[in-house]
Amino acid sequence: TQSKLLTGQHWLITAGPTREAIDPVRYISNHSSGKMGYAIAQAAVNAGATVTLVSGPVTLSTPSGVNRINVSSAENMHQQVMTQVENTDVFIACAAVADYKIAEVSAQKIKKSAETMQINLVKNPDIVADVAALANKPFTVGFAAETQDIEHYAKDKLKRKNLDLIAANDVAKNGQGFNSDNNALTVFSYNKKFELPLASKSDVAQQLVALIAQQRDEKQ
Ligand code: C5P
């Protein structure tokens, strides 16, 4: 068997949205399709890595050769990632994790009564920040979906969450990002900037995987 670029490496990737339960029949979520994370998982497997994909609810099929773990809430995702992260060489946080969860999930379906109602929310754990805070942290890559001041917000996240790289996409632009089959990314390290121009998510994923491998080598 031929040795590939990522042979012997373990990559852990999160993808898709999370669902935060309100009661047994309702939840809060977002429009993430999971396409970018799945494309990265496929590209990493093709490059020879052992890939674990911790996935929120999506309608995509599992890329061949990828070990997929299904989760629903941000808390589930956090728990699975912290369990799987040992011996991981590269962690990529591609999931659109809900920032908040419902403070008190109702055990019964909430009945309709008053004209208005309130739901209290509390902050979810920050998965990528918790991984990057580990003593033997993997090479850690985050995503930043922004609509303005992309470079400023992306670099702020890179530093605040102690990441090695951050991939920023402009979700205000048509035909890329959320749900689209195409994407364009600007990737920041502490002192460098890399442009991955608009292409299919599969092409962008291949370029991103190569860039991560190269930046990880440079760091070691
Ligand atoms: O702070 P913000 O949610 O914009 O950061 C986005 C990055 O952080 C993404 O890589 C996302 O997967 C990750 N994230 C996470 N856990 C959270 C929130 C975001 O891993 N609770």
Side-chain angles (χ1 to χ4, degrees):
T1 57
Q2 212 180 327
S3 174
K4 296 179 182 174
L5 180 68
L6 305 182
T7 297
Q9 291 190 28
H10 286 73
W11 286 38
L12 179 63
I13 301 166
T14 66
T18 65
R19 284 182 184 171
E20 308 305 320
I22 298 171
D23 69 16
V25 298
R26 304 183 178 96
Y27 58 82
I28 295 176
S29 192
N30 61 65
H31 289 295
S32 170
S33 65
K35 284 175 187 167
M36 194 65 226
Y38 276 59
I40 295 168
Q42 180 73 79
V45 155
N46 291 347
T50 299
V51 176
T52 300
L53 181 62
V54 178
S55 177
V58 297
T59 56
L60 304 170
S61 52
T62 310
S64 58
V66 169
N67 167 34
R68 170 172 166 185
I69 299 171
N70 292 322
V71 295
S72 178
S73 67
E75 237 165 50
N76 294 158
M77 186 176 276
H78 182 260
Q79 195 191 344
Q80 284 298 334
V81 165
M82 298 322 273
T83 304
Q84 296 292 328
V85 74
E86 214 188 318
N87 299 321
T88 290
D89 299 293
V90 172
F91 175 64
I92 307 172
C94 207
V97 183
D99 292 323
Y100 293 88
K101 67 180 171 189
I102 284 70
E104 283 169 72
V105 179
S106 174
Q108 307 299 331
K109 184 181 171 190
I110 298 168
K111 302 304 283 180
K112 182 166 42 182
S113 53
E115 283 305 311
T116 64
M117 70 171 290
Q118 274 88 41
I119 297 175
N120 286 320
L121 304 175
V122 292
K123 250 192 184 160
N124 267 324
D126 192 314
I127 301 165
V128 75
D130 283 358
V131 168
L134 293 171
N136 58 341
K137 92 180 237 227
F139 189 87
T140 304
V141 184
F143 270 76
E146 305 292 348
T147 56
Q148 55 173 341
D149 289 339
I150 293 174
E151 181 152 353
H152 172 78
Y153 287 118
K155 281 184 169 166
D156 174 66
K157 265 172 216 179
L158 179 78
K159 290 179 186 140
R160 192 160 35 84
K161 301 191 187 207
N162 193 32
L163 311 178
D164 294 295
L165 286 179
I166 192 150
N169 55 343
D170 188 339
V171 289
K173 282 191 184 147
N174 276 331
Q176 63 187 64
F178 262 24
N179 255 310
S180 170
D181 288 323
N182 299 317
N183 208 1
L185 296 173
T186 309
V187 184
F188 300 94
S189 67
Y190 272 77
N191 46 24
K192 287 191 197 124
K193 177 177 175 176
F194 309 89
E195 296 287 354
L196 308 186
L198 188 65
S200 70
K201 282 185 176 173
S202 160
D203 282 356
V204 173
Q206 273 183 53
Q207 291 181 55
L208 182 63
V209 163
L211 177 63
I212 292 168
Q214 178 231 319
Q215 288 300 299
R216 178 173 174 272
D217 279 353
E218 250 181 50
K219 193 191 170 191
Q220 282 182 333

